[in-house]
């Protein structure tokens, strides 16, 4: 429910409301300012309301350019999260929505860029028309000002041969505008989920065009092509008194209004907006270099089926929590690339580990490098860990965990940690029973996860706790030959496809049946439902939680938690 969401995400809601509010305020305030302020009376005589559209969107572009770097200062955010360890965990967790906010700001930049560019195309058109007009209108007269005195101009176009292309590629605002718009388009289009998952390098390198973006942004307004009337000129020849005299001026004019108005440029101010965040970001990058120089020892290398590489590592002072991730760099492969990986070890283990599957050039090269088993291991650098622990899992007597596709990875850490806590009779662990649902097209790249489940299952059986964990694998991309094979071997204790004791199910889970079964088995429990997977699945699970929660306060309740790994 909305109320429930607000209680848990009040900080995110407040940030969002403030951000939207400031955008609306800046746009409205500056739109009205440039649409009505009398210093721009003459500018509007040429440009009309396109002036206000261009200037208001420019303010919002500056504001959002100021914000875009803040959510990606991951070391600074992580430090911030550390300092507020006394504050509620819901607040710490909300700092993990940093990338969602980063994307939101980026969409705003794209929108305001479109508005700003279209407005300026209209402005160019109008500047050009006024420059070529010979009808003696106010706009035409204002456009000829530069002939009397070369630095008293209002219209930046001084020749009749000018085209939009000419202005776009020969003036500073035109050229930088084209460059930063291209940079923005490339950055947005190369950061889709698909490209990040499959061609991370493309995303990584294209995203560094942000350096070009900020350099261009700072230079963009320097030429000051849009001008307004100077303060002194306003006092001498105020447009409300004197505008009409411009149109009908005689040679031997004696009136106080006969003096021509004078104009000056709007000073460039983007640098003021972005200076502080850029300095913070430089500091962030220095921190990253410093943290990465601390030595990482690779203690174990395991090659799993389907080209999955497991690296077990140790690093002085490295403390992880469940559900966190690290950034990894391998200088032998690329000095510049840092790739994020979910930690698959439990905090209780004396190492930290990641599993790398082949997806893109870098991952394939790191897998090959470690496969060759040279006498000396390639050096690995690690930055992190980042993200807030997913400790909510430990708070429920009964937990339903759902991992879909690549989203199964964080559950390696969670399941191991729950088992360690359970064995050590840890007081923080409330969990008595886990239901684990694993959905994937085929288990190929996740054979390692199979092995992990099998070994957990074995350990539990040996301790006489076989019923602590119930899990099912749903193969959503199965073909008929497997299904027929499975039908033949259906009576064996372990399963044909995965070699696991619990049956593999072909097709998608029937959530209604699953929730009913859990509700029957635990009529008085509070059940935590956790998902790491796609948004569509989240909606289904949320609906099921609603439907199967009893209205009677003493009976079963399902709570849905979407984890952002």
């Amino acid at each position: 429910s909305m109320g429930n969401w607000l209680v848990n995400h009040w900080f995110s809601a407040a940030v969002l409301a403030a951000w939207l509010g400031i955008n609306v305020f800046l746009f409205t305030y500056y739109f009205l300012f440039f649409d009505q302020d009398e210093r721009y009376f003459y500018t509007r005589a040429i440009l009309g309301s396109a002036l206000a559209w261009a200037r208001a969107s420019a303010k919002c572009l500056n504001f959002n350019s100021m914000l875009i770097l803040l959510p990606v200062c991951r070391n600074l955010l992580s430090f911030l999260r550390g300092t507020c360890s006394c504050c509620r965990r819901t607040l710490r967790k909300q700092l993990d929505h940093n990338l969602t906010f980063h994307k939101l700001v980026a969409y705003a930049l794209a929108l305001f860029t479109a508005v700003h560019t279209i407005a300026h195309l209209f402005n160019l058109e109008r500047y050009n028309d006024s420059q070529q007009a010979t009808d003696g209108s106010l706009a035409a007269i204002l456009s000829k000002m530069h002939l009397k005195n070369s630095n008293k101009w209002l219209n930046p176009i001084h020749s009749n041969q000018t085209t939009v292309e000419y202005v776009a590629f020969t003036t500073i605002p035109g050229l930088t505008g084209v460059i930063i718009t291209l940079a923005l388009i490339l950055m947005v289009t190369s950061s889709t989920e698909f490209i990040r998952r499959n061609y991370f390098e493309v995303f990584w390198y294209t995203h560094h065009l942000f350096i070009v973006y900020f350099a261009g942004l700072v230079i963009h307004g320097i030429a000051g092509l849009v001008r307004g009337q100077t303060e002194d000129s306003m006092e001498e020849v105020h447009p409300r008194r004197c505008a009409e005299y411009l149109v009908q001026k005689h040679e031997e004019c004696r009136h106080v209004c006969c003096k021509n108005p004078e104009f000056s440029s709007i000073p460039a101010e983007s640098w003021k907006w972005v200076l502080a965040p850029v300095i913070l970001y430089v500091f962030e990058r220095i921190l990253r270099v410093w943290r990465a120089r601390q030595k990482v020892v690779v203690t174990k290398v395991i090659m799993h089926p389907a080209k999955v590489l497991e690296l077990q590592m140790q690093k002085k002072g490295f403390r992880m929590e469940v559900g966190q991730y690290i950034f990894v760099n391998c200088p032998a492969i690329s000095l510049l690339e840092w790739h994020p990986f979910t930690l698959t070890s439990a905090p209780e283990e004396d190492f930290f580990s990641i599993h790398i599957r082949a997806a893109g050039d870098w991952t394939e090269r790191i897998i090959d490098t470690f496969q060759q088993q040279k006498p000396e291991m390639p050096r690995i650098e690690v930055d992190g860990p980042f993200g807030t622990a997913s400790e909510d899992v430990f708070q429920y007597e009964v937990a339903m965990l759902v991992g879909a596709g690549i989203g199964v990875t964080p559950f390696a850490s969670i399941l191991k940690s729950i088992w360690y806590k359970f064995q050590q009779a840890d007081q923080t662990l409330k969990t008595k029973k886990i239901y684990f649902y694993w959905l994937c097209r085929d288990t190929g790249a996740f054979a390692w996860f199979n092995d992990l489940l099998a070994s957990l299952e074995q350990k539990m059986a040996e301790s006489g706790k076989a019923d602590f964990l119930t899990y099912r694998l749903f193969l959503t991309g199965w073909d008929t030959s497997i299904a027929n094979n499975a039908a033949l071997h259906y009576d064996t204790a372990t399963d044909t496809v995965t070699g696991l004791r619990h049956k593999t199910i072909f097709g998608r889970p029937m959530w209604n049946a699953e929730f009913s079964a859990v509700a029957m088995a635990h009529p008085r429990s509070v059940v935590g439902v956790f998902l790491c997977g796609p948004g569509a699945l989240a909606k289904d699970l949320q609906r099921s939680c609603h439907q199967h929660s009893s209205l009677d306060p003493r009976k079963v309740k399902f709570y849905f938690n979407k984890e952002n790994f």
Side-chain angles (χ1 to χ4, degrees):
S1 68
M2 189 68 186
N4 207 353
W5 187 86
L6 279 172
V7 169
N8 287 323
H9 299 80
W10 60 271
F11 177 74
S12 300
V15 168
L16 207 59
W19 174 73
L20 273 171
I22 294 170
N23 272 306
V24 169
F25 167 78
L26 281 174
F27 195 90
T28 313
Y29 180 87
Y30 284 101
F31 188 92
L32 293 171
F33 177 81
F34 283 98
D35 209 43
Q36 290 168 7
D37 191 276
E38 299 194 304
R39 273 169 290 185
Y40 300 98
F41 178 89
Y42 289 123
T43 321
R44 282 193 301 274
I46 301 177
L47 299 178
S49 68
L51 169 72
W53 283 100
R55 297 307 303 175
S57 54
K59 290 288 174 190
C60 292
L61 280 168
N62 281 333
F63 172 60
N64 286 287
S65 298
M66 172 179 89
L67 296 179
I68 194 87
L69 285 176
L70 298 177
V72 290
C73 291
R74 54 172 189 255
N75 280 293
L76 300 178
L77 277 175
S78 165
F79 178 73
L80 208 100
R81 197 190 287 107
T83 53
C84 75
S85 56
C86 48
C87 34
R88 295 264 313 284
R89 231 190 62 257
T90 49
L91 176 60
R92 297 216 304 278
K93 213 174 186 66
Q94 286 173 78
L95 287 172
D96 290 341
H97 299 319
N98 58 334
L99 292 183
T100 309
F101 184 62
H102 176 74
K103 289 173 200 168
L104 210 58
V105 173
Y107 289 134
L109 283 174
L111 172 72
F112 289 122
T113 298
V115 174
H116 188 71
T117 308
I118 292 165
H120 272 321
L121 287 173
F122 276 104
N123 287 338
L124 272 181
E125 199 56 44
R126 287 174 182 167
Y127 273 141
N128 229 348
D129 292 348
S130 311
Q131 162 62 27
Q132 290 169 23
T134 48
D135 55 3
S137 63
L138 183 53
I141 290 165
L142 289 166
S143 298
K144 303 283 182 287
M145 288 265 174
H146 64 95
L147 298 173
K148 301 193 180 64
N149 182 336
S150 62
N151 53 14
K152 297 271 194 324
W153 57 273
L154 177 60
N155 186 333
I157 296 176
H158 299 165
S159 105
N160 285 351
Q161 275 72 55
T162 309
T163 61
V164 169
E165 294 76 36
Y166 179 83
V167 173
F169 293 106
T170 61
T171 65
I172 288 180
L175 194 57
T176 54
V178 169
I179 290 171
I180 60 186
T181 303
L182 278 175
L184 191 68
I185 289 170
L186 284 170
M187 285 158 79
V188 171
T189 51
S190 68
S191 55
T192 60
E193 172 111 31
F194 177 78
I195 288 178
R196 288 201 319 272
R197 286 261 185 262
N198 300 295
Y199 306 97
F200 188 85
E201 300 79 7
V202 175
F203 157 72
W204 179 260
Y205 286 114
T206 316
H207 239 63
H208 280 77
L209 285 170
F210 82 92
I211 298 167
V212 173
Y213 176 87
F214 278 97
L217 183 72
V218 168
I219 302 167
H220 183 62
I222 279 178
L225 295 194
V226 178
R227 309 190 99 184
Q229 199 173 349
T230 63
E231 295 292 346
D232 296 349
S233 174
M234 291 286 288
E235 283 176 26
E236 287 184 282
V237 285
H238 197 285
R240 244 196 322 225
R241 287 198 314 272
C242 303
E244 52 194 295
Y245 285 89
L246 267 177
V247 186
Q248 49 206 359
K249 187 185 285 179
H250 309 297
E251 283 309 308
E252 60 289 331
C253 176
R254 295 278 173 273
H255 191 278
V256 69
C257 280
C258 294
K259 195 174 176 196
N260 276 338
E262 292 180 21
F263 305 100
S264 66
S265 296
I266 301 169
E269 53 155 43
S270 293
W271 66 272
K272 292 181 193 168
W273 290 83
V274 301
L275 184 64
V278 165
I279 290 171
L280 269 176
Y281 188 77
V282 167
F283 183 62
E284 158 75 19
R285 289 302 281 241
I286 292 168
L287 248 173
R288 282 184 200 179
V289 170
W290 177 75
R291 281 186 64 165
R293 281 178 51 211
Q294 296 159 321
K295 193 168 158 45
V296 173
V297 182
V298 178
T299 53
K300 198 169 182 189
V301 179
I302 305 169
M303 276 311 305
H304 292 280
K307 281 199 87 162
V308 174
L309 169 73
E310 178 182 350
L311 293 181
Q312 297 184 0
M313 296 165 279
Q314 289 174 334
K315 179 178 175 176
K316 220 179 97 188
F318 188 95
R319 283 203 313 282
M320 68 156 291
E321 295 177 89
V322 177
Q324 289 189 308
Y325 60 95
I326 56 173
F327 276 84
V328 176
N329 168 281
C330 180
I333 295 173
S334 161
L335 285 168
L336 297 173
E337 285 177 43
W338 287 84
H339 291 244
F341 293 96
T342 304
L343 289 164
T344 50
S345 47
E348 290 81 3
E349 294 172 303
D350 59 352
F351 60 86
F352 60 95
S353 68
I354 55 172
H355 285 70
I356 303 173
R357 65 186 184 112
D361 305 340
W362 188 90
T363 49
E364 286 184 5
R365 280 166 67 196
I366 198 165
I367 291 168
D368 292 341
T369 309
F370 276 97
Q371 246 177 334
Q372 283 155 18
Q373 296 177 332
K374 292 211 182 84
E376 77 285 350
M377 292 252 201
R379 194 159 63 87
I380 291 281
E381 299 187 342
V382 167
D383 187 19
F386 299 107
T388 309
S390 323
E391 286 163 343
D392 296 354
V393 181
F394 308 139
Q395 305 304 316
Y396 295 93
E397 277 181 33
V398 181
M400 290 174 78
L401 312 179
V402 183
I406 194 175
V408 74
T409 318
F411 288 117
S413 176
I414 291 170
L415 289 170
K416 281 200 280 190
S417 188
I418 289 178
W419 174 240
Y420 284 125
K421 285 184 178 5
F422 189 69
Q423 272 185 310
Q424 292 157 11
D426 188 322
Q427 294 308 304
T428 58
L429 182 76
K430 310 232 185 345
T431 320
K432 304 274 186 288
K433 174 76 189 173
I434 300 168
Y435 293 92
F436 181 60
Y437 305 89
W438 177 14
L439 288 64
C440 65
R441 294 189 61 77
D442 59 85
T443 54
F446 299 107
W448 65 270
F449 193 83
N450 260 335
D451 301 343
L452 179 111
L453 278 177
S455 83
L456 270 177
E457 188 171 35
Q458 197 183 341
K459 283 178 192 159
M460 288 173 192
E462 284 163 11
S463 318
K465 302 276 194 304
D467 52 354
F468 180 59
L469 170 69
T470 299
Y471 58 82
R472 291 210 188 79
L473 165 57
F474 294 88
L475 283 182
T476 54
W478 59 286
D479 59 36
T480 42
S481 65
I482 300 184
N484 292 336
N485 184 20
L488 290 173
H489 296 282
Y490 206 66
D491 49 356
T492 49
T494 49
D495 207 320
T496 39
V497 181
T498 55
L500 295 178
R501 266 225 298 275
H502 296 265
K503 295 279 179 271
T504 302
I505 294 155
F506 298 94
R508 304 195 165 280
M510 309 290 274
W511 289 117
N512 263 337
E514 301 295 344
F515 274 81
S516 300
V518 173
M520 293 264 294
H522 309 276
R524 300 193 181 286
S525 291
V526 174
V527 182
V529 179
F530 295 83
L531 165 70
C532 184
L537 190 52
K539 287 195 177 63
D540 291 348
L541 289 173
Q542 197 136 29
R543 205 176 308 117
S544 299
C545 285
H546 240 59
Q547 285 169 355
H548 292 275
S549 289
S550 168
L551 293 173
D552 183 336
R554 291 161 308 190
K555 295 211 175 111
V556 68
K557 284 268 180 303
F558 290 91
Y559 285 105
F560 180 69
N561 304 263
K562 169 104 170 72
E563 289 293 354
N564 287 327
F565 297 109

